[in-house]
Amino acid sequence: MTVPFLFLFIWCGNAFSDDSNIQDIYKIRMENRLLELEAKAAAKPVTYVVLDLIRKKMYLKIRGVTLKEFDIADSDTIGIGQLDEFYSLVTVKAIFAPKRKEIKPPAQKKEEKPASTTQEADSYSVGDMPSNYTLIFDKGLSISISQHFKGGFLLSILNYINKKMGKLWNSSKLLWSHLKKTPFIKILVVMSKDDAHAFYWALPEKADFIIIR
Amino acid sequence: MNGYNFKNNINNDTEYQKRGLMRRIIYALSIFFIVFSAINVMAYFIQKNSNAAVSKKEEIGNAKKIVNDISKNNKKIYKSISNLSPKGNYIVIDTAKNILYLKNGDRVLHQAVVSTGSGRFLIDPNKKERKWVFDSPRGEFKVKSKIVEPVWVKPDWAFIEEGTDVPKNYNDRIEEGVLGDYALGIGNGYFIHGTLYTRLLGKPVTHGCIRVGDNDLKIIYKSAKIGTKVYIF
């Protein structure tokens, strides 16, 4: 149960095994590849991320245990490649990146008191995290996380424009990369504002990503 | 006659300007639409051709055997991943929500509101190179020690934060009654312990330790053993 989507994959794999066509072999090989990647990631005592574009979910996992599940409102992939390997997070770019607050010790000595009273306010909380940011990986992959605007008709138009402009920009980048013969894969992920904040907060440095699509 | 012509010219000019502006907008939108479509169509074909090139042809006669072999291998890998999962009770701490879960398999046995690291930092005013970042650690840990009635051995940063001198005598660092009734050590000086500041539970305010309310701490302490896994994210 800790890896339900993988179980489903195996089940699907078994179901497909009676069919003998190239597509089935391709699918089961992909499942095998993803399982191998997960086995490698789970062998390390650090959190890793499984981005499942088929089920529109993002899983934060460790040792095969799902720590947190994020819902994806919408997604799109632009680029060339199979995405059947590990991608290590290199950096996260955000326009409004959060800044840590410094504790300023009092200038004058005072009576000793129990610790933890000075930092009641101004802590660095999940709400301070950005909701629009880009994860840059090795091997030419980047994942753009953006906020899904919920509300009336106007906000749904905003979501649509946001998506189309993103697609245009990334399609242009794909053409440019194709001409330069450099790898380019861009995944656009739209999440709720809270999930986007929480994912940024929980994102481990240099995390390994496994992508299912 | 001239006056009439003059007036008529003004009307025509204004009309002409309006039409000219409209025409330009239509041209601009058309160009944008054509460029947009062209880029998308080109991108689509680049992706399609590339993905088609990656697909490998297999001999259909061997397909069933190949599928069976890979299926067997997949089951083995799945089992090996399942074996990595913790056996028995384990603790999961969500630092974004400040919630601790005591779990066994997928079952949540107990849930507690906690306080985790504030994420703030402190620089020693006397030695600028000494800096502390008060984050709760992330990743996999295990319970390394179980302590009843723990005492706090105050580290240097606690004195610097208060603006007092760091004592030379070890005994001057000891403070009793601030860590609650129990503490679970998870390594590197980090503990899951009690707190005097119960009103701050649910907020990220600590120096990295996990503060838990008295009643919840008792349950967690009794359920955890030395070696119990702790996952913090």
Side-chain angles (χ1 to χ4, degrees), chain A residues 1 17 28-29 32 63 79-80 100-101 103 105 109 113 115-120 123-124 171 201, chain B residues 47 50 58 67 71 74 95 106 118-121 135 138 140 152 161-162 165 197 199 204-205 207 211:
Chain A
M1 273 304 285
S17 63
I28 205 161
R29 279 210 167 128
N32 179 260
R63 298 286 195 199
I80 305 162
R100 290 180 184 274
K101 289 158 189 165
I103 299 171
K109 291 177 186 178
K113 57 174 183 177
S116 317
T117 52
T118 53
Q119 74 304 52
E120 288 184 13
S123 54
Y124 184 68
S171 295
W201 175 276
Chain B
Q47 288 183 95
S50 163
E58 298 282 346
V67 168
S71 294
N74 283 357
T95 59
D106 279 347
S118 68
R120 302 204 304 165
F121 67 95
D135 278 334
R138 313 274 185 98
E140 183 190 52
W152 188 31
E161 188 182 0
E162 289 169 3
D165 290 332
Y197 304 100
R199 71 183 185 284
V205 293
H207 295 92
R211 293 186 201 160

Side-chain angles (χ1 to χ4, degrees), chain A residues 150-168:
Chain A
K150 277 182 184 171
F153 178 69
L154 282 175
L155 290 177
S156 61
I157 290 175
L158 195 63
N159 282 329
Y160 182 79
I161 292 171
N162 200 15
K163 188 180 175 179
K164 288 295 167 194
M165 291 312 287
K167 177 126 186 151
L168 176 65

Side-chain angles (χ1 to χ4, degrees), chain A residues 164-165 167-169 171-172 175, chain B residues 27-44:
Chain A
K164 288 295 167 194
M165 291 312 287
K167 177 126 186 151
L168 176 65
W169 174 246
S171 295
S172 314
L175 289 178
Chain B
Y27 283 159
L29 283 174
S30 306
I31 290 166
F32 178 78
F33 181 74
I34 291 164
V35 170
F36 180 89
S37 305
I39 289 173
N40 277 334
V41 166
M42 280 192 279
Y44 172 77

Side-chain angles (χ1 to χ4, degrees), chain A residues 12 36 42 49 113 152 161-162 165 175 177 182 191 197 199:
Chain A
C12 287
E36 279 176 351
V49 178
K113 57 174 183 177
I161 292 171
N162 200 15
M165 291 312 287
L175 289 178
S177 301
T182 52
M191 303 168 96
H197 285 309
F199 184 65

